[in-house]
Amino acid sequence: MMERYAHGYMQNTDVCLRTLNPMVSAMLQLQGNQHRHIVYNCDSYGFREGEIIHAKAERVAFGCSHTFGYELENHLTWPFLLNAANFGVSGCSPQTVARLVTAWIPLLPAKTVFIILPESARREIYNPQTETYTHIQNWNLKQLATLMYKDVIAGHLEENHWERIQLLFKEYPELDLFDDEKNQEIEQKCVVQIEEACREKELILLRQSDLPEFDFTSRDGSHNGDVWNRKVSQLFKRRIEA
């Protein structure tokens, strides 16, 4: 059951408010300026659009924030343009995509599965005590290592954070995001898992190297805008027609 959630049962993220009722959509409104008003409609699993749409969709989309459409209106996202249910999760890893594909595909009537595989230098870890998934990237390794080893090394955080990160890698080598060989090994395992789950579906999987150049024109300036999303939708369409 927990495998179906974007972030875990007790959700606490910037894209979905906490809700325990599976029939209630969570709404989070972000107002960056008076000219753009972004509304995220997320179901209790943490996915954009809602469970009713997912249950009927013949197409589904998986990926990270560039699939979710972070800081972008829903009708401008590439899953919407392809009439696909959006299972994008901001900040997620290939492990997240593999988990969600495995958990959801058997439950959906979807015939076509679109995937943008997140970059390989990311990980997902599950905390059974909080029933949440944490997405690990380079930028939050310092925070994680400091939390886990705050009493191991005396001194100032800025002086010792790399030593704590090295301790983290030593104890949990699978979290070493700087190990390119390990990154590729984990990514390949995820791809195999995805392909197995979608063996009876039409699977179109794109890697980061397959994508158009990022334009960073969403509201926050760190994600892609409507032009990029249109290019991606067209790329997927060409793959379908090929």
Side-chain angles (χ1 to χ4, degrees), residues 2-195:
M2 293 302 144
E3 289 78 12
R4 299 180 197 172
Y5 287 84
H7 301 279
Y9 190 60
M10 298 299 288
Q11 299 158 10
N12 185 17
T13 73
D14 61 346
V15 297
C16 185
L17 296 180
R18 181 177 300 176
T19 174
L20 300 181
N21 186 341
M23 299 304 295
V24 176
S25 292
M27 297 183 64
L28 178 60
Q29 297 182 352
L30 300 178
Q31 299 183 49
N33 58 61
Q34 61 181 349
H35 302 295
R36 293 192 70 179
H37 183 76
I38 310 293
V39 178
Y40 298 137
N41 294 311
C42 299
D43 62 23
S44 61
Y45 288 97
F47 303 113
R48 200 162 186 171
E49 296 183 64
E51 289 142 350
I52 295 177
I53 295 177
H54 291 166
K56 297 180 179 180
E58 292 190 357
R59 295 178 172 182
V60 292
F62 295 86
C64 64
S65 56
H66 298 295
T67 296
F68 177 88
Y70 188 70
E71 290 291 294
L72 195 68
E73 292 85 346
N74 183 55
H75 70 279
L76 300 178
T77 64
W78 68 260
F80 183 93
L81 295 174
L82 290 171
N83 195 29
N86 192 334
F87 284 87
V89 179
S90 293
C92 82
S93 69
Q95 293 169 315
T96 310
V97 173
R99 167 175 63 84
L100 293 175
V101 168
T102 302
W104 280 100
I105 289 303
L107 305 177
L108 301 173
K111 298 177 181 178
T112 304
V113 181
F114 302 110
I115 294 176
I116 292 182
L117 200 66
E119 59 188 81
S120 60
R122 295 182 177 186
R123 299 288 189 275
E124 176 181 82
I125 56 177
Y126 179 69
N127 186 335
Q129 294 181 335
T130 60
E131 297 183 317
T132 56
Y133 293 94
T134 299
H135 307 302
I136 306 300
Q137 301 181 41
N138 290 335
W139 65 268
N140 63 358
L141 274 174
K142 173 179 168 182
Q143 180 183 15
L144 176 63
T146 300
L147 179 65
M148 294 182 64
Y149 303 105
K150 60 183 178 181
D151 298 325
V152 175
I153 303 174
H156 298 294
L157 172 64
E158 293 299 328
E159 296 176 357
N160 295 296
H161 73 268
W162 179 243
E163 295 177 61
R164 293 189 176 100
I165 290 175
Q166 290 178 313
L167 284 174
L168 177 69
F169 290 166
K170 183 177 181 180
E171 185 171 0
Y172 303 98
E174 68 276 11
L175 296 182
D176 187 351
L177 305 185
F178 301 106
D179 185 338
D180 291 334
E181 185 175 346
K182 176 62 68 174
N183 291 342
Q184 293 304 314
E185 176 187 339
I186 292 176
E187 179 185 285
Q188 184 55 35
K189 288 181 179 178
C190 292
V191 171
V192 171
Q193 183 178 344
I194 290 168
E195 291 176 340

